[in-house]
Amino acid sequence: MITFTTVFVILFFIFVLQGIWLFISELAGKDLDTFTIVKFLSFYAPTIVPLVLPLSVLLAGIMTFGSFAENYEFAAMKSSGISLQRAMKMLTYAIILLSLVSFVFANNVIPESQYRFLNLRKTIVQQKPAMAIAQGQFNTIGNISIKVEKKSGENGNELENVTMHVKGQQNTNSANTVIKAKRGLLRSEKNSNYLQLQLFDGNYYENILPKDFKERKKVPFVKSSFKEYILNIDLSKLNSSDNNTDEITSEKMLNIYELSYTIDSLQTNYNKDVVSFSDNILQRSNFSIGNSIENPENKTLEDVLKQHNPKDRKRILEIAKNNITSTQFSIQNNKNDLLNKQKNINSHWIVYHEKFMIAYSCLLMFFIGAPLGAIIRKGGIGLPIVFAVIIFIAYHFMNVFGRKLAQEAAIPPFLGTWLASIVLTPLAITLTYRATNDIGIMISFDWLIDPIKKIFSKLNKNSNTNNDTTQHTT
């Protein structure tokens, strides 16, 4: 228990420091008081428990049982008639209890901390809008990057020499936009999720992407100047840049019951959209009446066109081409919309399964760490840390990889969330079986070495045969 607590506290402190590094852009240079920073980190801290807890169980299991084996305490237990299974019995009950506590923690504490964490970030910006923008560096808010050379005023909401880069939206002809202004003013209402940025005496540059590729070589752009320009910034996208950190989303603030209700509603709406989309395509193509009214005799396209003069034929073909293009565009847009909705459903399913996976991961890491420590017979902080880090990196990599695939709808959410556990469960069973039966780990490379030995033996025989033939000839 002491070993587990010590390992958990140390790892927890390390991951909290990592969290400070991730959010350093929100904490540094914004005149936040110590109490606000402590609240900020305390609301963030529960979110790292699912990452720290399995690693702590794994490392504590390897260290404890490795120390027992290294000091021949297991040998003393076996001589007294106490098997390894009996020695692990009470610890197994303790780990099961820890798994239940971790599930309750993931289902109740983490959603609440996520909710308070996001609201604290919004409250900070609403009370002091200038805190959303650090002086002298680019700050990312959604698809906007903004830099301010100097802030002044009572709350730092008066800006000087503002430079903004706005990324172009998809399905538009704009690539990106650059806005420069001599002065700016930040405003925010108390219950609003938007931050208003009022710019004065500036210029507006926008790159244009023509549909014609030949025109793109000319690199066209739009330039204009303004006396006053107002821009509303969505605070829900605060500092959500394209990095590897997970963006705080609403599904992480829900418990099991709320997730089930939300997933059911999203799936019902998704099914309705699929049916509506199919009906719209059928009505657009007039497929149901095309064969029965316009072409009752099932004539071919050439037969139908022969009934019209060349001018009408050309017009009919152009109309048909435009209809096909419009239908393809509609299909593509609806396909993208349905894909985004499916990804949203998958994200909710992933959070749903993660709450159970956190509990199972504690059991899994215990039945990997404890038998492995008994087999390698090494305690302390040397070799056990090496084994623990290797196993946990593999587990975490498979977990992240599976979750990303599930979010992109490449694999089912259940498989993506449980991929790492499914892969490592046979390892836990094998290690537990070998440790309880005192078999140990025997790694044989005969399947690789034997073919190489055979090749070298044949080469030696051939060389000896050639030498004997040469000597006989001589």
Side-chain angles (χ1 to χ4, degrees):
M1 187 65 183
I2 297 177
T3 303
F4 169 76
T5 304
T6 304
V7 170
F8 180 83
V9 171
I10 294 174
L11 293 176
F12 187 80
F13 179 73
I14 292 173
F15 280 92
V16 167
L17 292 180
Q18 182 191 18
I20 295 176
W21 178 257
L22 291 176
F23 296 103
I24 192 67
S25 60
E26 295 188 33
L27 300 176
K30 297 185 179 180
D31 300 328
L32 294 177
D33 57 276
T34 304
F35 180 71
T36 302
I37 295 177
V38 171
K39 286 178 60 179
F40 189 93
L41 295 177
S42 63
F43 292 153
Y44 168 75
T47 62
I48 66 175
V49 171
L51 193 63
V52 176
L53 190 60
L55 180 58
S56 302
V57 173
L58 175 64
L59 185 56
I62 296 177
M63 293 175 62
T64 301
F65 281 78
S67 179
F68 285 166
E70 186 178 15
N71 297 323
Y72 299 100
E73 294 187 26
F74 281 135
M77 291 180 184
K78 290 178 182 179
S79 64
S80 302
I82 301 175
S83 63
L84 181 61
Q85 294 178 347
R86 184 177 175 185
M88 294 175 60
K89 186 176 181 180
M90 294 305 298
L91 286 178
T92 302
Y93 292 151
I95 293 299
I96 292 175
L97 178 61
L98 179 64
S99 300
L100 296 176
V101 172
S102 65
F103 172 77
V104 175
F105 185 87
N107 190 44
N108 296 280
V109 179
I110 293 180
E112 182 66 20
S113 67
Q114 287 279 13
Y115 174 78
R116 293 179 179 273
F117 180 69
L118 183 60
N119 277 275
L120 178 61
R121 297 172 73 186
K122 290 183 178 180
T123 301
I124 291 173
V125 177
Q126 288 170 352
Q127 291 178 350
K128 295 184 177 181
M131 288 186 178
I133 302 173
Q135 181 176 296
Q137 66 183 34
F138 276 100
N139 302 263
T140 302
I141 305 177
N143 63 334
I144 299 175
S145 294
I146 181 171
K147 179 181 179 181
V148 177
E149 289 190 4
K150 185 178 179 181
K151 296 192 302 183
S152 59
E154 183 179 356
N155 294 320
N157 59 340
E158 297 179 5
L159 313 177
E160 295 182 13
N161 295 328
V162 181
T163 302
M164 296 180 60
H165 295 269
V166 183
K167 297 180 181 179
Q169 300 294 327
Q170 296 180 351
N171 301 325
T172 64
N173 293 331
S174 62
N176 54 66
T177 302
V178 179
I179 303 174
K180 292 186 176 181
K182 294 181 180 180
R183 295 183 299 109
L185 185 63
L186 283 171
R187 296 176 180 175
S188 177
E189 296 182 3
K190 184 177 181 180
N191 296 322
S192 176
N193 287 330
Y194 287 90
L195 179 66
Q196 187 181 86
L197 176 58
Q198 190 175 9
L199 302 176
F200 304 94
D201 299 328
N203 297 297
Y204 180 98
Y205 308 88
E206 181 179 357
N207 293 332
I208 303 297
L209 290 178
K211 294 182 179 179
D212 189 355
F213 286 95
K214 294 182 180 179
E215 294 294 328
R216 293 187 182 183
K217 295 181 180 180
K218 300 179 182 179
V219 194
F221 69 94
V222 175
K223 177 182 177 181
S224 63
S225 59
F226 57 84
K227 290 294 183 181
E228 182 180 352
Y229 184 82
I230 298 176
L231 183 68
N232 292 321
I233 301 175
D234 189 0
L235 295 179
S236 62
K237 300 179 180 180
L238 181 64
N239 284 320
S240 58
S241 56
D242 298 330
N243 51 24
N244 294 328
T245 59
D246 293 334
E247 184 179 354
I248 299 176
T249 52
S250 59
E251 61 266 17
K252 294 183 179 181
M253 304 178 188
L254 306 178
N255 56 33
I256 291 293
Y257 174 78
E258 293 168 341
L259 282 169
S260 301
Y261 180 82
T262 304
I263 291 172
D264 183 68
S265 300
L266 292 174
Q267 189 65 51
T268 301
N269 293 333
Y270 177 84
N271 295 336
K272 290 180 179 179
D273 290 339
V274 172
V275 174
S276 177
F277 166 64
S278 302
D279 292 340
N280 290 336
I281 294 298
L282 288 176
Q283 293 176 4
R284 181 187 293 270
S285 61
N286 292 322
F287 180 81
S288 60
I289 62 174
N291 291 332
S292 61
I293 297 178
E294 295 182 0
N295 193 12
E297 299 178 0
N298 293 326
K299 294 181 180 181
T300 64
L301 178 60
E302 294 181 356
D303 294 335
V304 174
L305 291 176
K306 287 179 180 179
Q307 298 177 4
H308 302 276
N309 56 50
K311 185 177 181 180
D312 291 338
R313 292 177 193 173
K314 183 178 180 180
R315 183 176 59 83
I316 291 173
L317 291 175
E318 288 179 354
I319 294 174
K321 181 181 178 181
N322 292 333
N323 288 336
I324 292 173
T325 303
S326 177
T327 302
Q328 289 178 340
F329 182 76
S330 177
I331 290 174
Q332 187 62 39
N333 285 342
N334 283 277
K335 181 180 178 181
N336 294 335
D337 182 59
L338 291 176
L339 180 61
N340 291 331
K341 291 182 178 180
Q342 184 62 53
K343 290 180 179 180
N344 187 30
I345 296 174
N346 290 347
S347 297
H348 284 76
W349 273 117
I350 290 171
V351 176
Y352 182 90
H353 289 297
E354 280 181 345
K355 297 183 184 301
F356 297 94
M357 189 268 294
I358 292 171
Y360 181 75
S361 64
C362 294
L363 285 171
L364 179 64
M365 291 302 166
F366 173 75
F367 284 104
I368 290 177
L372 184 61
I375 291 172
I376 64 176
R377 298 180 180 180
K378 288 290 183 180
I381 58 175
L383 189 62
I385 291 182
V386 176
F387 278 99
V389 169
I390 293 174
I391 294 172
F392 186 77
I393 287 176
Y395 172 80
H396 185 63
F397 173 78
M398 288 185 289
N399 191 19
V400 173
F401 180 73
R403 189 170 66 240
K404 293 297 182 182
L405 289 179
Q407 286 177 345
E408 297 299 324
I411 59 176
F414 175 84
L415 179 60
T417 309
W418 291 91
L419 179 63
S421 299
I422 293 173
V423 173
L424 292 182
T425 296
L427 175 63
I429 296 173
T430 302
L431 291 176
T432 303
Y433 174 79
R434 287 183 172 274
T436 53
N437 292 277
D438 201 15
I439 296 176
I441 299 178
M442 298 296 295
I443 302 176
S444 177
F445 293 96
D446 292 341
W447 59 275
L448 180 62
I449 297 175
D450 288 343
I452 298 175
K453 287 182 177 180
K454 290 179 180 180
I455 293 173
F456 278 105
S457 63
K458 289 181 180 180
L459 292 175
N460 289 331
K461 288 181 180 179
N462 292 334
S463 62
N464 292 331
T465 302
N466 293 334
N467 292 332
D468 292 339
T469 303
T470 303
Q471 293 174 1
H472 179 72
T473 302
T474 304

